């Protein structure tokens, strides 16, 4: 990297305004000056002509399922964690994501979502920061609250300093994201290729586990996260009462609230509300839940993440900038706000 560098002829996106044309002067790896118009650093200063491109902060993605798909692209195919993570970060950098919170699910499932492999993935990603990498790789631990066997894993990973974000989720059918058994069946069958008998057994098990949820277990993990300065998020909240429960536990982020009333209540409490870029690009939720565009237009969502489609984050930012949001505020949804 050059000790000094001048980038000219660019459209500079700042948190509250756009400088067009503008320039950015970098010294020792830090932005030293941002200005309007054009300038010249003289014959001894390396200079890049931006050719009127946008120059904006790197995207901060706090919820991405990409690493799971990179490691396990099909139900019975598992690639080495190191290979998958190293290849994935190249793809992420290419679409403007410079800080990624890899969302790793502990749901007592098979493959990448089994407790043992999920913990291995989390520890590997955490160690990636020991050496230079293309982007900043962070760990988002997703704890399925019916998975009692994962409690020890969560506790250990938080205490080891592996976790950068913790979220509580409940995918039991009949509430949250899956309002009906049929919705849940559609997801499970296409994801895990279960037979009807296997699916029925899974539903029975999850319903039984949900009845046995111990709030003290969640309080313990929430307190552990707080002590180790790990932010807590809730997931798929479907009622204000659910928001109240998570808020009392210390959650400061509501991921993918199911409806507008729940999103509004979360913002009323001062929580951040995160919605998905694919929802924005598709014009609605693939599960017929909250419409992300409507939430953003109403001001009840303030963070945009890639969710299950990592290349959609940058696309969604520019989509919003063309449809009612100014570019600086749209960029903040995926940069300053999640940061």
């Amino acid at each position: 990297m050059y000790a000094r560098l001048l980038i000219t002829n660019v459209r500079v996106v700042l948190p509250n305004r756009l400088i067009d044309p503008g320039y950015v002067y970098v010294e020792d790896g830090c932005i030293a000056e941002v200005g309007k118009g054009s300038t010249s650093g003289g014959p001894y200063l390396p200079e890049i002509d931006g050719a009127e491109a946008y120059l904006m902060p790197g995207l901060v993605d706090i919820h991405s399922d990409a690493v799971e798909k990179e490691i396990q692209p099909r139900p019975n195919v598992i690639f080495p964690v190191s290979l998958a993570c190293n290849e994935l970060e190249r793809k992420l950098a290419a679409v403007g994501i410079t800080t990624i919170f890899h969302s790793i699910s502990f749901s007592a499932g098979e493959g990448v979502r089994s407790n043992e492999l999920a913990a291995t993935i989390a520890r590997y990603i955490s160690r990636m920061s020991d050496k230079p990498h293309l982007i900043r790789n962070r760990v988002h631990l997703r704890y399925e609250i019916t998975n009692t066997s994962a409690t020890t894993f969560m506790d250990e990973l938080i205490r080891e300093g592996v976790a950068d974000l913790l979220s509580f989720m409940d995918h039991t059918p009949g509430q949250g994201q899956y309002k009906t058994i049929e919705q849940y069946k559609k997801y499970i069958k296409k994801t895990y290729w279960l037979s009807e008998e296997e699916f029925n057994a899974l539903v029975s098990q999850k319903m039984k586990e949900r009845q046995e949820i111990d709030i003290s277990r969640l309080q313990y993990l929430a307190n552990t996260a707080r002590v180790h300065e790990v932010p807590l998020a809730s997931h798929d909240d479907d009622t204000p009462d659910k928001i109240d429960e998570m808020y009392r536990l210390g959650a400061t982020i509501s991921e993918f609230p199911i409806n507008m009333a729940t999103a509004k209540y979360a913002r009323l409490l001062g929580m951040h509300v995160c919605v998905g870029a694919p929802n924005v690009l598709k014009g609605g939720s693939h599960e017929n839940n909250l419409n992300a565009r409507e939430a953003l237009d109403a001001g009840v969502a303030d963070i945009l993440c890639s969710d299950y489609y990592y290349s959609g984050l940058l696309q969604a930012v520019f989509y919003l900038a063309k449809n009612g949001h100014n570019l600086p505020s749209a960029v903040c949804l995926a940069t300053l706000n999640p940061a």
Side-chain angles (χ1 to χ4, degrees):
M1 178 181 291
Y2 294 111
R4 297 161 65 234
L5 177 66
L6 183 65
I7 306 172
T8 62
N9 192 24
V10 285
R11 305 174 189 183
V12 185
V13 183
L14 298 179
N16 56 1
R17 70 187 191 279
L18 176 68
I19 301 178
D20 183 15
Y23 67 88
V24 173
Y25 171 57
V26 179
E27 189 169 320
D28 295 327
C30 297
I31 296 174
E33 182 181 340
V34 177
K36 184 174 178 59
S38 59
T39 185
S40 174
Y44 303 108
L45 179 61
E47 185 173 325
I48 295 177
D49 184 339
E52 300 183 356
Y54 288 102
L55 185 60
M56 53 190 277
L59 303 181
V60 179
D61 190 358
I62 67 169
H63 186 118
S64 171
D65 301 336
V67 72
E68 293 184 339
K69 293 298 183 184
E70 197 75 20
I71 295 170
Q72 187 174 7
R74 291 188 177 182
N76 297 314
V77 178
I78 302 288
F79 279 94
V81 175
S82 58
L83 169 65
C85 289
N86 291 335
E87 290 302 316
L88 177 60
E89 71 170 5
R90 293 182 176 89
K91 299 176 184 179
L92 296 171
V95 294
I97 297 173
T98 56
T99 300
I100 182 81
F101 284 71
H102 296 283
S103 301
I104 304 167
S105 295
F106 288 75
S107 57
E110 299 294 326
V112 291
R113 294 194 167 183
S114 66
N115 293 337
E116 292 76 13
L117 182 51
T120 297
I121 296 168
R123 288 187 171 103
Y124 180 85
I125 291 172
S126 180
R127 292 195 303 270
M128 288 176 72
S129 60
D130 295 341
K131 298 179 180 179
H133 276 266
L134 290 175
I135 65 174
R136 299 177 186 88
N137 294 279
R138 302 290 183 260
V139 175
H140 173 178
L141 298 180
R142 301 177 60 191
Y143 176 54
E144 188 74 42
I145 63 175
T146 57
N147 183 11
T148 56
S149 62
T151 306
T152 300
F153 288 91
M154 295 292 103
D155 187 38
E156 291 176 350
L157 292 168
I158 294 171
R159 293 179 184 278
E160 289 173 18
V162 168
D164 300 292
L165 176 63
L166 171 68
S167 60
F168 289 157
M169 58 186 188
D170 181 359
H171 288 110
T172 309
Q175 53 82 54
Q177 182 176 355
Y178 304 108
K179 301 182 186 71
T180 66
I181 294 291
E182 285 305 311
Q183 277 184 298
Y184 187 63
K185 178 185 288 187
K186 182 180 177 182
Y187 166 75
I188 288 295
K189 284 199 167 184
K190 72 180 180 183
T191 304
Y192 299 109
W193 296 3
L194 298 186
S195 67
E196 190 73 18
E197 183 179 351
E198 290 171 328
F199 173 77
N200 291 334
L202 174 64
V203 171
S204 297
Q205 177 186 343
K206 289 189 74 67
M207 300 301 283
K208 179 178 182 294
E209 289 172 338
R210 193 168 197 277
Q211 293 175 346
E212 298 173 352
I213 291 175
D214 182 359
I215 189 64
S216 65
R217 174 162 45 88
L218 302 185
Q219 290 171 335
Y220 173 80
L221 289 178
N223 290 337
T224 303
R226 187 180 305 112
V227 168
H228 291 272
E229 300 183 336
V230 176
L232 177 64
S234 57
H235 184 82
D236 288 347
D237 304 304
D238 56 356
T239 66
D241 286 343
K242 181 79 71 65
I243 290 291
D244 272 332
E245 291 177 21
M246 294 295 107
Y247 184 74
R248 285 194 294 269
L249 287 170
T252 57
I253 303 167
S254 175
E255 294 187 319
F256 317 120
I258 299 302
N259 51 59
M260 188 70 78
T262 302
K264 285 181 178 178
Y265 187 68
R267 290 298 287 150
L268 183 65
L269 292 180
M271 296 175 69
H272 295 286
V273 171
C274 179
V275 294
N279 188 317
V280 170
L281 295 173
K282 288 173 59 63
S285 163
H286 66 290
E287 294 289 352
N288 297 316
N289 295 321
L290 177 66
N291 184 300
R293 295 186 206 170
E294 293 177 0
L296 291 164
D297 290 345
V300 300
D302 63 332
I303 293 177
L304 196 61
C305 71
S306 73
D307 195 7
Y308 59 86
Y309 182 55
Y310 66 85
S311 61
L313 187 54
L314 185 61
Q315 297 175 36
V317 165
F318 280 93
Y319 174 89
L320 291 169
K322 293 178 180 178
N323 292 274
H325 296 254
N326 63 64
L327 182 59
S329 65
V331 170
C332 281
L333 294 171
T335 55
L336 182 62
N337 294 0

